Amino acid sequence: MIQSILQAFCRGTSMSSTSTKARSTHKNQSTDGSVPKIVINTRPIARAAPLTNHLRAAGFTVAEIPMLTLQPRPTTGDDLALMRAWLAGEYKALVVISPTAATSGLNVWQSLVYSEHDDSSYAQPDNKAANIASEALVAPSQIIAVGQATATALTQSNIDSANYQVRQPEVANNEGMLAMPEIERLQAGDKLLIWRGLGGRRLLVDTLQARGVHIDSIAWYKRTMPTEAMTQYQQWQKDFFVCNQTTNTTPKQAKPIVVVSSGVAFEHWTSIVQGAREKMSEPKRSNDIMTDARDNLPLTLADFSYVVVGERLANMVAAQRLSYWRVEDLAPDTILSAITTNT
């Protein structure tokens, strides 16, 4: 798959510059006048397609090299206790970070509803599961979804919206959530529950805790590096070198753009790029995927430009003096606009 993508790159796929302008911040912009044609999408497989398709439709060559895979975590007794406390009305609001967190939380919510019904609740016990599955889930507090995909996962479920509707920040990041009235009015002693993956969203938590708000969270999944990430990157780099030789270009002249959505993904990307450099410095071995590329200087982090989301990730990239554009959300139009506006 990656090889066929790079073949398209070698043929000189054109790039469209038409898009809806979105907010972005550019740092350390390249001045060599080159027009990057290749984008590396590091989003998890389940979330990569909308961005990949949008960029390809605009004329970019896109390689998907996921830096994250999402693995479910076992639901603990503490998790269930927090869910029951939320259902009992102890929290002012629920913040849902991602579609995966939404799906996982909804499943547990539904199972708790099931477990709390007696067999006598229904005239036909055999139909108990079907009856409960169709029963609306009554939210005990405001629900805030970070991003459209998360909101869609929630609104397509059977949540009763009579008392509380799923809300979204105007900008799908920590700063956008902090600006929401539902979050702004939280006071010392109030409680907030977060459904999320392991790690992340520290600005929201730190800001609210400094205000005296009590934060609890349930990590429904963890982010790990895909086992095939190194092999995919090595294959991509090998083909990239071949393309540069075929088209008489250099990595500097055809600087690829990497879309990174989280600090964990950037840490994994850093590890992969540095690991591939180390492998290229090792003695040649037969059947080594990098054998044909060893005559080239290995790519460094600085051989790429980056599209990054939010202040925290931008600071991580800036600390390494890398070229980047900061955006405030992961909407495909936002990413496309950031690239086309700054290249």
Side-chain angles (χ1 to χ4, degrees):
M1 180 64 178
I2 291 177
Q3 188 172 12
S4 64
I5 291 171
L6 266 294
Q7 288 172 351
F9 169 66
C10 289
R11 291 195 297 269
T13 304
S14 62
M15 180 181 70
S16 169
S17 61
T18 58
S19 69
T20 302
K21 188 172 182 181
R23 279 180 290 179
S24 66
T25 302
H26 176 56
K27 304 292 182 183
N28 306 326
Q29 183 171 350
S30 173
T31 58
D32 61 10
S34 62
V35 179
K37 294 182 178 180
I38 190 163
V39 178
I40 298 175
N41 185 357
T42 67
R43 300 219 69 199
I45 286 292
R47 302 179 186 174
L51 176 60
T52 293
N53 294 339
H54 194 66
L55 293 177
R56 286 176 181 167
F60 286 90
T61 298
V62 183
E64 291 184 352
I65 309 180
M67 288 294 113
L68 295 175
T69 186
L70 307 181
Q71 297 184 347
R73 300 178 71 242
T75 302
T76 67
D78 288 342
D79 296 336
L80 294 176
L82 291 174
M83 283 292 295
R84 291 190 176 99
W86 175 64
L87 291 171
E90 295 183 17
Y91 293 88
K92 293 291 186 179
L94 168 69
V95 172
V96 185
I97 298 298
S98 69
T100 304
T103 301
S104 300
L106 286 167
N107 287 339
V108 173
W109 185 358
Q110 186 71 66
S111 71
L112 288 174
V113 171
Y114 182 93
S115 66
E116 290 172 2
H117 280 78
D118 295 328
D119 288 346
S120 59
S121 299
Y122 297 97
Q124 300 293 332
D126 292 342
N127 294 330
K128 177 182 176 182
N131 289 332
I132 294 176
S134 63
E135 181 179 329
L137 298 172
V138 180
S141 73
Q142 185 65 65
I143 300 177
I144 299 170
V146 183
Q148 183 57 53
T150 304
T152 299
L154 291 166
T155 55
Q156 288 182 346
S157 67
N158 58 336
I159 296 176
D160 184 352
S161 59
N163 295 324
Y164 297 104
Q165 295 181 340
V166 175
R167 305 287 186 183
Q168 292 178 250
E170 290 187 8
V171 181
N173 59 13
N174 284 303
E175 293 86 350
M177 284 187 290
L178 288 169
M180 295 182 70
E182 294 85 355
I183 298 297
E184 278 191 321
R185 60 173 167 254
L186 292 175
Q187 303 175 2
D190 288 342
K191 297 176 68 175
L192 177 75
L193 182 63
I194 302 177
W195 290 356
R196 61 180 179 86
L198 203 58
R201 299 289 172 189
R202 292 307 312 172
L203 177 61
L204 175 68
V205 172
D206 293 345
T207 301
L208 292 178
Q209 286 181 335
R211 200 188 297 171
V213 177
H214 180 87
I215 307 290
D216 285 317
S217 62
I218 302 175
W220 298 114
Y221 59 93
K222 61 181 179 180
R223 304 172 179 90
T224 61
M225 185 188 297
T227 55
E228 65 275 14
M230 176 62 80
T231 300
Q232 288 182 339
Y233 175 78
Q234 287 178 314
Q235 182 63 60
W236 174 86
Q237 184 175 236
K238 175 183 175 182
D239 294 339
F240 182 70
F241 287 144
V242 171
C243 286
N244 284 326
Q245 292 170 355
T246 302
T247 58
N248 295 318
T249 61
T250 67
K252 181 178 180 181
Q253 292 171 322
K255 202 169 188 180
I257 297 170
V258 184
V259 178
V260 188
S261 59
S262 71
V264 175
F266 182 67
E267 290 170 357
H268 291 172
W269 172 260
T270 300
S271 174
I272 289 294
V273 173
Q274 293 176 346
R277 283 175 56 81
E278 293 172 1
K279 286 181 179 294
M280 287 185 69
S281 67
E282 296 174 356
K284 293 183 179 181
R285 299 188 300 273
S286 61
N287 300 323
D288 188 340
I289 194 172
M290 296 305 296
T291 297
D292 295 336
R294 290 181 187 277
D295 293 335
N296 296 279
L297 292 175
L299 296 176
T300 69
L301 291 173
D303 289 317
F304 301 88
S305 293
Y306 298 85
V307 177
V308 300
V309 183
E311 180 180 6
R312 177 175 175 270
L313 181 52
N315 289 339
M316 291 177 65
V317 175
Q320 300 202 40
R321 300 182 181 276
L322 302 175
S323 172
Y324 72 93
W325 306 294
R326 172 183 164 183
V327 297
E328 302 305 330
D329 62 73
L330 286 165
D333 252 352
T334 302
I335 304 298
L336 176 61
S337 181
I339 295 172
T340 56
T341 300
N342 295 292
T343 58

